[in-house]
Amino acid sequence: MHLNWLRSFPALPDRQDPDLTPSALARAELESAFPGWDLTLTLSPGMGDTWVYDRIGRSVILTGGETGLLYGAYALIRAGLAGRALPEHLESAPAYGLRMIDCWDNLDGSIERGYAGRSLFFEGGRFAYDPARVRHVARMMASVGLNVLCVNNVNVRQPAQSLMDGLLPDLSALADLFRPFGVRLMISVDFSAPLGCGVGSADPLSPEVRQWWAEAADRIYAEVPDLAGFLVKADSEGQPGPHTYGRTHAEGANMLAEALRPHGGTVVWRCFVYNCKQDWRDKGTDRPMAAYDTYKPLDGQFAENVILQVKNGPFDFQVREPLSPLLLGMSRTPLGLEVQLAQEYTGQQIDLYTMATLWKEIMADLPAGNIRAMAAVSNLGRDENYFGHPLAAVNLFTFGRLCWDPAGYDPEAAVTEWIRLSYGFTGAEENALRGWMLRSREIYEKYTAPLGLCWMVNPHTHYGPNPWGYEFDLWGTYNRADRQAVGIDRTGAGTGYTLQYPPALRERYENPQTCPDGLKLFFHRMAYDAVMADGRTLIQRIYDDHFEGAREAEAMRDALKALPFPAPDRQVIAERADRQAENAREWRDVVNTFFRRLSGADDARGRRIYD
Ligand code: GCW
């Protein structure tokens, strides 16, 4: 059965032969989408992912590289099926070479932070999958230009298995399924893997260790010659890394890069490094500063086939964070941007949270410069609809559109295309759904932690309100609310975090007048009676947002229930909208009561805040 935005696509041409190439698939896809058209596909291998298209009436000439033809075909199919007029001439090339989905799937079949069921790829310590569903995922990815899938969790639980020992033939068979769609696999590896395999060390400068990695890479590439490379989480939240041996992250990453170089592989090295054993009494350590402090001094020291992958915000995928200053501070190092489609802190695929507008905001501050890769933590799982919440599919779709063409990316147009392909809505129905989807992020933001304060969630599960759940903990996640004020001063006069930014952004955030309201409590410690730009006090703004957010979640629930979604999406959307409205109500009351008890301030509009 076809699901998500592939619903409107023709049946997938049933050509599973191992020699099916992306360009042959492109032809088959076009023939079934536009029967009776006169198609000329010209393969120009040097063009890679790039494509050029010309059309006169029903006569189409598409030229491109092996994958370029496929992306060109899907661009035309998407436009045609979404009812957009096909232009007479178009050419297109992706902005970034690696456009990745990172799965946090464990070999036992569980998914870390997965909200759409169990793993699509693993069960019981080995590969276990339905090839038809894997091809569906591959087709979804290719249809929006995504080209790499990292198949296992960056928290590698069983070091010996991180290199897929004993599982390489299965990895190879999985790669065969993805290959016609132009998607290459990547694997997460454990930096200490040599230790578990009889080498007495994992020191990146040890010749024996280097030799071990070179041989490991040879073994893997013998089975999967086009593996995209290794993804690494090192010295982060308990994962081993080069710091154990007194080595830098450049030394660690470069060792792996050396092992991958003969095979054309890339090391994607995550920068999610901070002290996760902080004492809450310690006010001299400010977690958002950690990644920049660790990596900035290493700028320019990384091998050519290393990409540093940086989370979009300096904390951890919170509802609203400023852009990580590390993305702006490494001018001599290739970078990748990492976002999280899995809705860990953003409603867990129960609450509707469309990221289409978030992508635009992130890109607004990001210079094109040395970004080479875009990566998104996967929101996929074994649920029938792949995403848990059927509307969460839009996040993978728009992420793909963004990676291909960040300059031309328009959230409204991307969501419209997704709605048409997924549900065929037009007119008032299309407008209603698009309106709620585009507003859903703001609604969620209003009823959860206020104005960039972050972290007011239940510990560990990260769903539901708990204002001090992380206040006296080890994770560097404090709001320091007291009876007068809330937040941490991260300006030059405070922790100094703003000093990590280039001048224009530094000035914008330093000054409470120019700091955007949505980030006020990220950057500033504010008194409850401080007056905001629109004349409201901070405490009144917090109350207003929470009352409004919960009310809007109810209105959205009613509106979604009134739309003619097909089964089974209709039932799932209704059931999740009910749970969201309940969650929003709980957030509203817990946050309002928390601040009411501390501040003693009444709601100026006399609404009910519980004692
Ligand atoms: O936010 C944290 C998550 C962890 C995750 C980590 C990371 C994979 O809670 O589950 O581990 O981020 O990004 O490495």
Side-chain angles (χ1 to χ4, degrees), residues 486-498:
V486 58
I488 291 174
D489 179 0
R490 297 201 159 94
T491 68
T495 67
Y497 167 72
T498 51

Side-chain angles (χ1 to χ4, degrees), residues 104 112-113 154-155 233 237 270 272 311 316 344:
W104 287 355
E112 182 156 353
R113 312 304 178 188
V154 289
N155 285 330
K233 171 174 178 177
E237 299 186 331
R270 297 178 83 231
F272 185 53
K311 290 190 180 187
D316 188 10
E344 177 177 0

